[in-house]
């Protein structure tokens, strides 16, 4: 049964989206006090990403999969969605995260110490360029889909079908035949073009801070939106591990500082510190930075609390429906999973 209700609009979510766009535009021309700029920007990122992460709720994800299967079964129409897989951290992953992070950090430290700095940044830059285009495409498509008519967006898909058999080991290339088919909507294609344009401008403008922030914000939004720590127990293990990780690498060695100061990539948000005027001595703008990890890690916890609020509300509504005398009331869809970001429900844990 497809939801036919009018798409809802959550004023707070809409305001957060507008805040992100407004801050990015205004801060290029008007100096915003650093503390206010930072707090407002991070709050908007966390609010938007946490609400977008509601599709990670098992109930919502199952409804989306069911709706997609029903639409795929109808050969006369295209599916109106592409349900992304749920990425959930396991307890083993939480234990290993600080160790894997330590190996990666120390590897970068050794690379900067014994290899050419420009070569290391070039290789890392290639990686972040690809990842940045993917993250920005996913972020931009949210806004472009709100502009392009849904019917046009679904009926004018682009791509190709390509099923390629192979004789390579399954552990290397996956099962044979390999599905290399690609299908994108006009909104996704337009978003991809915009992402490539931003990337080109970023590299041709000496990596301007405001273009760096587009990629940084996109990384934060997509990281929080698509990844779940699974449970409070796993989150606690992760947080404790990262606590000792930070103590050792930041305060016990020079490794973190050296990597952060040498690594030239969109791994942080950059904000004007005191004015938009360049320093006459250095010819550079005085910028303050905030690492993306300082946004994404708390975002995992906030989004988990929001999904818990949603789960409690959902269970209460289902119990009330079961008490209804009418069979139609029992089977009534009380929210549209496609627009779950805008569903209104009590959020005591999230707002605390």
């Amino acid at each position: 049964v497809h939801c036919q209700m009018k798409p809802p609009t959550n004023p707070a979510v809409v305001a957060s989206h507008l805040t992100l766009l407004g801050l990015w535009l205004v801060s290029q021309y008007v100096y915003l006090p650093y503390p206010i700029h930072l707090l407002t920007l991070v709050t908007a990122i966390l609010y938007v990403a946490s609400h977008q992460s509601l599709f990670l709720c098992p109930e919502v994800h199952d409804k989306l999969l069911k709706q997609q299967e029903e639409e795929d079964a109808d050969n006369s129409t295209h599916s109106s969605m592409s349900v992304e897989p749920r990425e959930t951290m396991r307890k083993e992953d939480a234990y290993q995260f600080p160790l894997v992070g330590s190996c990666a950090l120390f590897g970068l430290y050794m690379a900067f110490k014994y290899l050419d700095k420009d070569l290391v940044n070039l290789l890392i830059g290639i990686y972040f360029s690809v990842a940045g285009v993917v993250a920005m495409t996913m972020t931009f498509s949210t806004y472009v889909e709100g502009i392009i008519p849904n019917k046009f967006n679904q009926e004018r898909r682009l791509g190709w079908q390509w099923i390629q058999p192979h004789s390579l080991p399954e552990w290397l290339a996956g099962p044979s035949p390999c599905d290399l088919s690609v299908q994108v909507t006009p909104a996704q294609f337009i978003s991809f073009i915009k992402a490539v344009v931003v990337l080109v401008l970023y590299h041709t403008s000496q990596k301007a801070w405001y273009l760096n922030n587009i990629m940084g914000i996109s990384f934060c939004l997509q990281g929080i939106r698509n990844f779940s720590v699974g449970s409070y127990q796993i989150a606690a293990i992760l947080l404790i591990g990262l606590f000792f990780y930070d103590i050792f690498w930041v305060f016990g060695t020079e490794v973190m500082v050296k990597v952060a100061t040498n690594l030239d990539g969109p791994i942080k948000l950059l904000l004007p510190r005191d004015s938009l005027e360049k320093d006459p001595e250095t010819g550079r703008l005085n910028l303050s930075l905030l690492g993306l990890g300082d946004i994404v890690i708390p975002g995992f916890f906030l989004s988990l609390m929001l999904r818990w609020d949603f789960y409690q509300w959902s269970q209460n509504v289902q119990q009330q429906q079961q008490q209804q005398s009418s069979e139609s009331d029992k089977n009534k869809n009380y929210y549209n999973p496609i627009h779950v970001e805008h569903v209104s429900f009590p959020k005591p844990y999230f707002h605390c």
Side-chain angles (χ1 to χ4, degrees):
V1 179
H2 294 269
C3 299
Q4 301 295 331
M5 62 186 71
K6 181 181 179 181
T9 300
N10 186 323
V13 174
V14 174
S16 297
H17 281 285
L18 294 176
T19 298
L20 287 177
L21 179 61
L23 282 175
W24 183 80
L25 289 172
V26 172
S27 62
Q28 298 177 48
Y29 306 100
V30 179
Y31 170 69
L32 302 174
Y34 173 70
I36 297 176
H37 190 179
L38 177 65
L39 290 174
T40 307
L41 178 62
V42 172
T43 301
I45 291 173
L46 292 175
Y47 202 90
V48 168
S50 295
H51 283 77
Q52 290 182 340
S53 77
L54 287 173
F55 94 96
L56 292 172
C57 295
E59 174 193 335
V60 178
H61 196 262
D62 291 344
K63 284 190 174 185
L64 287 172
L65 286 175
K66 181 179 179 181
Q67 187 165 336
Q68 184 184 37
E69 291 172 358
E70 291 176 352
E71 294 190 1
D72 287 341
D74 184 359
N75 295 326
S76 63
T77 63
H78 293 285
S79 176
S80 63
M81 73 194 79
S82 178
V83 182
E84 302 166 13
R86 298 170 62 236
E87 296 289 341
T88 304
M89 178 175 283
R90 302 170 302 169
K91 187 182 295 186
E92 296 79 7
D93 299 327
Y95 282 122
Q96 296 172 6
F97 192 88
L99 300 177
V100 175
S102 296
C103 292
L105 181 65
F106 189 70
L108 285 173
Y109 172 76
M110 298 299 290
F112 280 119
K113 188 172 183 178
Y114 295 106
L115 299 178
D116 181 66
K117 174 183 173 181
D118 293 334
L119 174 61
V120 176
N121 275 315
L122 174 63
L123 296 176
I124 295 175
I126 294 174
Y127 168 77
F128 277 114
S129 294
V130 175
V133 167
V134 173
M136 287 189 291
T137 299
M138 296 173 68
T139 301
F140 294 161
S141 63
T142 301
Y143 303 99
V144 177
E145 287 171 356
I147 300 174
I148 296 180
N150 185 64
K151 184 177 180 180
F152 174 83
N153 194 44
Q154 301 307 324
E155 293 180 352
R156 296 291 187 269
R157 288 175 176 256
L158 309 171
W160 60 83
Q161 294 288 332
W162 185 11
I163 308 297
Q164 179 64 45
H166 66 81
S167 57
L168 296 174
E170 185 172 340
W171 62 267
L172 179 63
S176 180
C178 183
D179 188 357
L180 301 176
S181 303
V182 174
Q183 191 177 59
V184 297
T185 64
Q188 292 170 333
F189 180 74
I190 293 172
S191 300
F192 172 75
I193 297 300
K194 291 171 63 177
V196 171
V197 170
V198 171
L199 181 67
V200 172
L201 292 176
Y202 171 73
H203 286 290
T204 57
S205 64
Q206 298 182 340
K207 301 183 177 180
W209 64 272
Y210 48 88
L211 296 174
N212 169 91
N213 287 355
I214 294 180
M215 282 191 279
I217 292 172
S218 297
F219 283 136
C220 290
L221 291 176
Q222 298 309 316
I224 298 171
R225 178 187 185 276
N226 294 296
F227 189 79
S228 170
V229 290
S231 69
Y232 289 106
Q233 182 184 28
I234 295 175
I237 294 172
L238 177 64
L239 187 62
I240 293 172
L242 291 177
F243 174 74
F244 290 104
Y245 168 90
D246 271 350
I247 289 178
F248 180 77
W249 291 115
V250 176
F251 301 105
T253 70
E254 66 166 1
V255 172
M256 180 71 79
V257 175
K258 186 173 181 64
V259 170
T261 53
N262 284 278
L263 184 58
D264 185 16
I267 60 170
K268 52 192 175 290
L269 295 183
L270 300 173
L271 304 176
R273 182 180 303 169
D274 42 31
S275 71
L276 294 178
E277 300 295 330
K278 294 183 178 180
D279 189 317
E281 297 182 358
T282 62
R284 296 182 178 180
L285 193 64
N286 291 324
L287 298 170
S288 293
L289 63 88
L290 178 67
L292 301 187
D294 295 327
I295 303 174
V296 173
I297 298 299
F300 289 157
F301 289 84
L302 284 174
S303 61
L304 183 64
M305 287 187 284
L306 181 65
R307 292 195 295 275
W308 172 247
D309 286 333
F310 180 86
Y311 171 79
Q312 289 188 308
W313 168 77
S314 176
Q315 293 298 305
N316 290 335
V317 173
Q318 289 183 32
Q319 291 178 4
Q320 293 175 7
Q321 283 186 327
Q322 294 303 318
Q323 296 173 0
Q324 300 292 331
S325 58
S326 171
E327 190 67 26
S328 61
D329 288 337
K330 291 182 180 180
N331 297 325
K332 182 180 179 182
N333 288 314
Y334 53 96
Y335 71 90
N336 188 335
I338 299 177
H339 306 289
V340 66
E341 173 187 0
H342 292 281
V343 174
S344 178
F345 57 92
K347 305 165 186 175
Y349 286 93
F350 179 71
H351 287 153
C352 283

